[in-house]
Amino acid sequence: MGEEGLFQVLVRENTENFKRIRFQRIMTTDPHAFNTLKKDYPGVLKVYHYSEILLDLIESGRLKPVRTLSGDDLYTYHDPCYLGRHNEIYDAPRKLIQSLPGMRLVEMQRSRDRSFCCGGRGRYPVP
């Protein structure tokens, strides 16, 4: 959905801007933006979801969670379709969540590649 011609114009303009600036990687919090930059832009952009960056910082010891959760509550994680099914990033968000002391993470019945779509039309048909 959307205007393909405008998208192509924006890709060209953004790509030209990327050539003018120096950067090592792009970080995004949005799974849709992650997918678009990774798969719809020409060349090879080093695109990362924020969960990958934060997990790397935690695993390397450069970032340490300090708040301890009580351990009384259960938490779950919903896999966004553009992060999970389309890009196979399942473990980084979970490991990041589990790095919080006292975290009790449980899986939903439909998780990972079986997760319901996170948006758009969803799983319900439009009348």
Side-chain angles (χ1 to χ4, degrees):
M1 298 184 43
E3 188 179 332
E4 181 67 24
L6 176 59
F7 175 73
Q8 293 303 325
V9 167
L10 292 172
V11 167
R12 280 193 302 277
E13 289 176 4
N14 290 339
T15 300
E16 288 303 314
N17 285 328
F18 290 157
K19 290 176 184 175
R20 286 195 287 272
I21 57 176
R22 293 182 60 189
F23 63 93
Q24 294 178 5
R25 54 189 170 181
I26 297 172
M27 179 185 74
T28 180
T29 59
D30 176 48
H32 293 263
F34 174 85
N35 185 70
T36 297
L37 288 166
K38 191 143 184 108
K39 295 189 173 179
D40 296 332
Y41 273 69
V44 179
L45 294 174
K46 292 183 180 182
V47 183
Y48 297 89
H49 186 254
Y50 79 96
S51 63
E52 297 172 298
I53 301 287
L54 291 178
L55 180 61
D56 180 56
L57 291 172
I58 287 172
E59 288 180 339
S60 69
R62 294 181 286 172
L63 181 65
K64 295 181 183 182
V66 293
R67 183 173 180 216
T68 300
L69 302 171
S70 69
D72 296 333
D73 296 320
L74 293 176
Y75 296 85
T76 192
Y77 173 75
H78 177 264
D79 292 281
C81 54
Y82 276 97
L83 193 61
R85 285 195 303 269
H86 292 276
N87 289 284
E88 299 181 349
I89 296 178
Y90 298 109
D91 294 328
R94 285 170 172 79
K95 288 179 181 179
L96 179 61
I97 292 168
Q98 290 172 322
S99 72
L100 298 171
M103 172 57 68
R104 291 178 52 204
L105 183 68
V106 295
E107 290 289 344
M108 291 188 276
Q109 182 178 358
R110 294 190 56 101
S111 63
R112 297 185 176 262
D113 62 340
R114 296 173 302 129
S115 179
F116 283 128
C117 184
C118 59
R121 285 182 50 192
R123 64 185 174 116
Y124 304 104
V126 176

